[in-house]
């Protein structure tokens, strides 16, 4: 009987692993990784204790990469890359992190002050609660997330951390688990404050998971830092996808370029390349270049950006978004006139949350167009 039960459970574990690409990224977001990979390992740990055998699943390179997801997805302190239905702030479970470290010694141990010390979660789950107590190792130190550049090649999630700054961008396709229409979208953090943001998960209810899903600002293309082309937004579906063109990473700068023409239901759009150039200076700069090519002159292109709701000052060719310790200078062509609107959405906790949407209607439209924005911290 036990043998047949274990066979069924291991089959289920195989199905779970099929939900990941080979790069180990959880495209649903960090909290879903924390939950799902947690229960995956709770089972394997029980199996090992009951049988004295270590499951061969733990020796797979894919499982090792999944275990590294936590250290590759935080922007800084408790700020996490929150593409899809993820929340912007999260706390690593320290006991779980210590267990991962004992299984794979290249696992980064997060700083204790950023860890989750509340043993019982909001659902009162027993499985993680007692393991947080039993797996916690007081002898293990923790440190801030290290500076690094990460590219999940199959999932097309990019992250670069530099001191108190971080930049993350999204490729992939628009039929991912907990999908948002967000290809080419990005997040920018400076001084441990979010400036360019992802709205993350909205409030879960019936319409959020039916054919009205993309009527919500947080899931629709309208709620992401991507352009509107001839009045058209990105659509949902696996056929709407990014094609990677260039990835060139070094100590001083990172360049990541994507072809995005397949993300729009616009037949006159021949090519659309988005290039992220991240200069890793003492106060980093992001150069965002969009290049469009059409069969005929387009009727409209609106560059659209989603920012944290904060005070700002508008000048002739830049907007200064003010933070507590850092400010962000958003530089644009002086021929452009930005439209800045404060908007609200219902977040995952059911609360009204404000954000800024900044749009730049392009002028002098031709069949080939290049537009450059520079975002620099000051």
């Amino acid at each position: 009987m036990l043998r047949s039960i274990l066979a069924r459970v291991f089959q289920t574990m195989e199905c779970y692993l099929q939900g990941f690409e080979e790069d180990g990224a959880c495209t649903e977001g960090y909290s879903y990784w924390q939950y799902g990979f947690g229960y995956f390992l709770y089972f394997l740990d029980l199996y090992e204790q009951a049988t004295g055998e270590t499951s061969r699943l733990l020796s797979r390179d894919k499982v090792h990469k999944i275990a590294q997801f936590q250290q590759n997805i935080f922007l800084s302190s408790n700020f996490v890359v929150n593409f899809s239905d993820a929340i912007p702030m999260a706390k690593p479970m320290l006991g779980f992190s210590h267990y991962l470290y004992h299984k794979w010694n290249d696992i980064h141990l997060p700083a204790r002050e950023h860890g989750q010390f509340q043993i019982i979660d909001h659902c009162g789950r027993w499985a993680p609660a007692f393991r947080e107590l039993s797996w916690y190792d007081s002898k293990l130190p923790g440190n801030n997330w290290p500076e690094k550049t990460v590219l999940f090649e199959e999932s097309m999630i990019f992250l670069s951390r530099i001191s108190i700054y971080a930049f993350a961008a999204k490729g992939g396709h628009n039929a991912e688990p907990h999908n948002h229409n967000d290809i080419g979208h990005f997040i920018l953090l400076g001084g441990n404050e979010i400036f360019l943001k992802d709205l993350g998960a909205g409030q879960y209810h019936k319409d959020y998971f039916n054919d009205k899903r993309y009527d919500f600002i947080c899931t629709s293309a309208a709620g992401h830092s991507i352009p509107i082309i001839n009045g058209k937004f990105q659509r949902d579906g696996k056929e709407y996808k990014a094609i990677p063109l260039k990835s060139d990473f070094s100590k001083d700068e990172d360049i990541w370029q994507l072809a995005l023409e397949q993300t729009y239901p616009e037949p006159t759009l021949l090519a659309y390349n988005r290039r992220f150039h991240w200069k890793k200076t003492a106060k980093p700069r992001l150069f965002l270049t969009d290049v469009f090519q059409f069969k005929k002159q387009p009727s409209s292109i609106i560059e659209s950006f989603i920012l944290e709701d904060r005070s700002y000052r508008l000048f002739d060719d830049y907007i200064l978004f003010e933070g507590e310790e850092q400010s962000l200078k958003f530089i644009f062509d002086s021929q452009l006139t930005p439209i800045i609107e404060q908007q609200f959405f219902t977040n995952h906790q059911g609360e009204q949350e404000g954000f800024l949407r900044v749009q730049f209607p392009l002028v002098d439209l031709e069949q080939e167009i290049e537009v450059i924005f520079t975002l620099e911290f000051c």
Side-chain angles (χ1 to χ4, degrees):
M1 181 63 134
L2 177 60
R3 183 177 297 178
S4 62
I5 292 173
L6 286 175
R8 288 285 301 273
V9 175
F10 272 107
Q11 185 179 25
T12 301
M13 296 300 105
E14 291 287 354
C15 289
Y16 168 72
L17 292 177
Q18 289 173 17
F20 292 85
E21 300 286 356
E22 292 301 316
D23 57 23
C26 180
T27 56
E28 294 171 296
Y30 173 73
S31 59
Y32 284 97
W33 170 88
Q34 196 178 56
Y35 174 83
F37 195 55
Y39 277 88
F40 175 80
L41 290 180
Y42 302 159
F43 163 69
L44 293 183
D45 182 61
L46 283 175
Y47 175 81
E48 185 174 329
Q49 292 184 52
T51 65
E53 300 176 1
T54 300
S55 170
R56 287 178 291 180
L57 289 176
L58 291 176
S59 64
R60 291 189 189 176
D61 182 59
K62 183 176 184 177
V63 174
H64 183 194
K65 288 180 178 176
I66 296 171
Q68 294 173 321
F69 181 69
Q70 175 173 268
Q71 65 205 48
N72 292 330
I73 206 62
F74 273 84
L75 294 161
S76 178
S77 60
N78 294 114
F79 291 96
V80 70
V81 175
N82 64 317
F83 300 136
S84 303
D85 278 341
I87 54 177
M89 304 283 287
K91 293 182 178 181
M93 296 190 298
L94 295 178
F96 184 58
S97 300
H98 295 167
Y99 179 84
L100 294 176
Y101 178 79
H102 286 304
K103 291 297 182 184
W104 298 277
N105 60 14
D106 60 354
I107 295 298
H108 174 80
L109 295 174
R112 290 179 180 177
E113 61 266 29
H114 300 145
Q116 180 174 295
F117 287 94
Q118 183 179 2
I119 299 303
I120 305 298
D121 67 16
H122 66 289
C123 291
R125 298 182 182 101
W126 168 251
F130 85 86
R131 286 178 174 85
E132 278 303 285
L133 294 172
S134 62
W135 285 353
Y136 182 81
D137 187 342
S138 61
K139 300 185 295 295
L140 291 178
N143 295 289
N144 290 328
W145 307 110
E147 295 188 358
K148 69 185 306 184
T149 294
V150 181
L151 175 61
F152 295 95
E153 292 191 0
E154 289 86 7
S155 304
M156 283 192 253
I157 298 172
F158 171 84
L159 167 69
S160 178
R161 287 192 298 256
I162 316 161
S163 181
I164 57 173
Y165 304 94
F167 162 64
K170 174 77 167 54
H173 60 80
N174 280 340
E176 295 167 345
H178 287 262
N179 181 70
H180 291 196
N181 291 340
D182 61 354
I183 303 172
H185 173 62
F186 64 100
I187 300 170
L188 191 60
L189 173 143
N192 283 324
E193 293 182 82
I194 294 291
F195 285 83
L196 274 290
K197 70 179 295 181
D198 191 292
L199 300 180
Q203 185 180 32
Y204 285 3
H205 54 76
K206 181 181 69 173
D207 287 343
Y208 196 79
F209 292 99
N210 62 25
D211 58 3
K212 297 180 181 178
R213 178 175 179 82
Y214 298 103
D215 293 342
F216 297 92
I217 187 68
C218 56
T219 52
S220 72
H224 296 86
S225 296
I226 47 181
I228 306 162
I229 301 174
N230 284 343
K232 295 183 174 67
F233 293 90
Q234 285 187 14
R235 294 284 301 277
D236 59 297
K238 198 165 187 177
E239 67 272 27
Y240 298 105
K241 60 184 179 181
I243 304 297
L245 295 178
K246 182 178 183 179
S247 54
D248 188 1
F249 312 136
S250 69
K251 178 178 177 293
D252 299 320
E253 62 182 12
D254 297 327
I255 297 173
W256 195 40
Q257 185 171 336
L258 302 170
L260 301 179
E261 61 268 13
Q262 293 187 38
T263 65
Y264 287 85
E266 174 47 60
T268 68
L269 180 64
L270 295 176
Y272 166 31
N273 293 345
R274 171 160 277 194
R275 184 175 186 262
F276 299 105
H277 184 182
W278 176 236
K279 295 281 287 186
K280 296 186 275 189
T281 51
K283 291 203 171 183
R285 287 173 292 168
L286 175 64
F287 299 92
L288 175 68
T289 303
D290 279 344
V291 179
F292 305 92
Q293 184 179 0
F294 293 87
K295 292 180 182 178
K296 61 181 182 180
Q297 182 177 329
S299 59
S300 70
I301 298 176
I302 301 173
E303 292 279 13
S304 187
F305 300 94
I306 304 298
L307 292 99
E308 189 69 48
D309 189 4
R310 60 175 71 248
S311 60
Y312 63 88
R313 287 182 284 160
L314 178 60
F315 298 87
D316 288 341
D317 62 352
Y318 69 92
I319 311 167
L320 189 67
F321 294 97
E322 299 170 330
E324 292 185 8
E325 296 182 6
Q326 302 274 311
S327 292
L328 179 69
K329 197 173 183 180
F330 196 124
I331 304 169
F332 54 88
D333 190 313
S334 59
Q335 293 183 346
L336 301 179
T337 301
I339 301 168
I340 306 174
E341 299 175 308
Q342 183 189 45
Q343 298 190 357
F344 295 88
F345 80 108
T346 305
N347 65 22
H348 193 56
Q349 289 72 37
E351 301 165 343
Q352 287 292 294
E353 181 179 330
F355 64 95
L356 296 179
R357 180 157 69 175
V358 181
Q359 295 188 324
F360 297 88
L362 300 192
V363 295
D364 297 328
L365 298 178
E366 303 290 343
Q367 285 182 246
E368 293 188 14
I369 302 165
E370 179 180 272
V371 57
I372 301 173
F373 298 96
T374 303
L375 292 78
E376 60 182 38
F377 288 101
C378 55

